[in-house]
Amino acid sequence: MRDNAAVVPGDLADAFRQEAPGLLGFFVRRVSPPEDAADLVSETFLAAWRSKQRDAVAPDLRRAWLFGIARKVLSQYRRGRRRRSALSERVRASVGADLATGGVHPSDEFDPELVEHVRELVRCLSPLDREIIELVYWEGFTQEEVATILGKPSATIRSRLSRARAVLRNQLEESGDIS
């Protein structure tokens, strides 16, 4: 019998099999959406595995120790959700203020039908070319910044951007939207 022995890393596999269902229930009853509960169980066991105290926990206290970690994981989860929610509210308020003060959306100065047509043409591009066009023209990034964002060489971004612009230009000429 090992009641006084410490929990060793191999025992975490046993702890997972024994305690994961209980921890899952703990999180399901406390988080919304409940689908996040499984991720929180994983985070709990990851924290337990990383803990320097895991070797000092007696087997008869292992369940309580894991639930203590679970409480901390839950606290971090809630804090993160509050921060993300507060950030979303600030962004919504900022956008609302811009709109209320007459902030101009770049497409406001163009014919709405043409804008929608261009958006449709952009949607027809390959996913990578579409992302490059959107990052450069809609988000205002330089080609160098896009290369960093996408983890691609600058030369690749330059050539793909040039090719995507040529495709869009040709399609707009064919449709008679530009000459």
Side-chain angles (χ1 to χ4, degrees):
M1 188 161 197
R2 299 177 36 202
D3 285 340
N4 293 330
V7 175
V8 294
D11 289 340
L12 283 177
D14 291 335
F16 181 80
R17 283 189 285 281
Q18 293 171 4
E19 304 303 337
L23 287 167
L24 184 62
F26 172 84
F27 287 121
V28 164
R29 289 185 291 277
R30 288 166 175 80
V31 300
S32 179
E35 293 81 18
D36 288 353
D39 291 335
L40 296 173
V41 170
S42 296
E43 288 180 35
T44 299
F45 278 98
L46 180 60
W49 180 76
R50 288 178 174 165
S51 173
K52 294 178 195 247
Q53 297 175 344
R54 74 172 181 227
D55 296 334
V57 177
D60 58 332
L61 295 176
R62 179 175 52 199
R63 183 169 192 263
W65 177 68
L66 285 170
F67 275 79
I69 293 172
R71 285 188 67 243
K72 291 176 186 169
V73 166
L74 179 61
S75 177
Q76 292 168 344
Y77 169 82
R78 287 177 173 160
R79 213 172 20 256
R81 286 192 53 110
R82 278 193 302 274
R83 279 194 305 266
R84 284 187 298 277
S85 179
L87 177 60
S88 294
E89 286 302 316
R90 286 195 305 270
V91 168
R92 274 194 279 282
S94 174
V95 169
D98 288 348
L99 292 174
T101 60
V104 177
H105 187 276
S107 62
D108 289 347
E109 56 192 82
F110 299 107
D111 174 26
E113 289 179 19
L114 177 59
V115 169
E116 186 52 38
H117 180 64
V118 170
R119 287 181 188 274
E120 276 298 316
L121 294 175
V122 169
R123 282 187 210 113
C124 294
L125 295 171
S126 72
L128 180 58
D129 290 349
R130 180 175 54 242
E131 186 71 14
I132 292 168
I133 290 286
E134 290 173 352
L135 288 169
V136 170
Y137 291 102
W138 296 352
E139 306 304 330
F141 287 105
T142 66
Q143 293 176 33
E144 196 68 35
E145 291 169 328
V146 172
T148 300
I149 292 168
L150 298 179
K152 303 280 185 196
S154 297
T156 301
I157 299 303
R158 275 192 303 279
S159 66
R160 292 193 76 118
L161 179 61
S162 177
R163 187 175 50 229
R165 282 192 301 223
V167 166
L168 292 172
R169 188 179 320 106
N170 290 337
Q171 289 176 336
L172 288 168
E173 286 173 355
E174 286 175 14
S175 65
D177 289 319
I178 64 169
S179 48

